[in-house]
Amino acid sequence: MPYVDAWKKIAVILAIAALAGCSLIQHKSSREEARTASQAAAATGDDYRNALSALKAGKDEDALNRFEALSKSYPDFAASYINVGLIEIKRDNLHTAESALLHAEQLAPQQPEIYNGLGIIYRRTGRFNEAE
């Protein structure tokens, strides 16, 4: 089982690393959605960067609190929900992680990090068809 646990940790780390490299601006399909995402990214600028910095520094609790605050202040900014989901996967709070990622999916269905996270959750909970 240590081998399986190591792969789980690697999968979560890769998912978080992929998200950390993402742009602050989400790419939406319609012009209005793109403008809304762009405005949210600009408004969250320093707060979002500080939350990412805390996450990169291994301060998961601080990062989680920051991302949750951002999601309350900017409910249409999917990146906050994605990060909450990925941190909660790392903490093995799979129900909370799934809720956050499903909410992010409604906001930004084109973000691959959402589906990577959901795949991890579904695999861990034995929902292999959904994970696929």
Side-chain angles (χ1 to χ4, degrees), residues 94 98 120-128:
L94 301 182
E98 183 177 2
I120 291 168
I121 293 165
Y122 296 153
R123 187 189 61 195
R124 285 190 191 174
T125 57
R127 294 155 52 195
F128 299 109

Side-chain angles (χ1 to χ4, degrees), residues 64-117:
L64 180 62
N65 290 334
R66 289 173 184 266
F67 287 123
E68 286 176 339
L70 280 168
S71 66
K72 288 183 177 107
S73 298
Y74 303 96
D76 294 332
F77 190 55
S80 297
Y81 295 98
I82 295 170
N83 280 293
V84 167
L86 296 176
I87 292 169
E88 292 293 12
I89 289 172
K90 190 175 175 183
R91 295 164 46 126
D92 209 32
N93 295 330
L94 301 182
H95 180 72
T96 303
E98 183 177 2
S99 294
L101 291 172
L102 289 173
H103 185 78
E105 181 184 29
Q106 296 299 310
L107 298 171
Q110 73 288 350
Q111 295 294 327
E113 297 81 13
I114 296 167
Y115 304 105
N116 290 337

Side-chain angles (χ1 to χ4, degrees), residues 32-47:
E32 185 172 323
E33 289 174 338
R35 190 170 355 114
T36 301
S38 178
Q39 290 168 342
T44 64
D46 287 339
D47 292 333

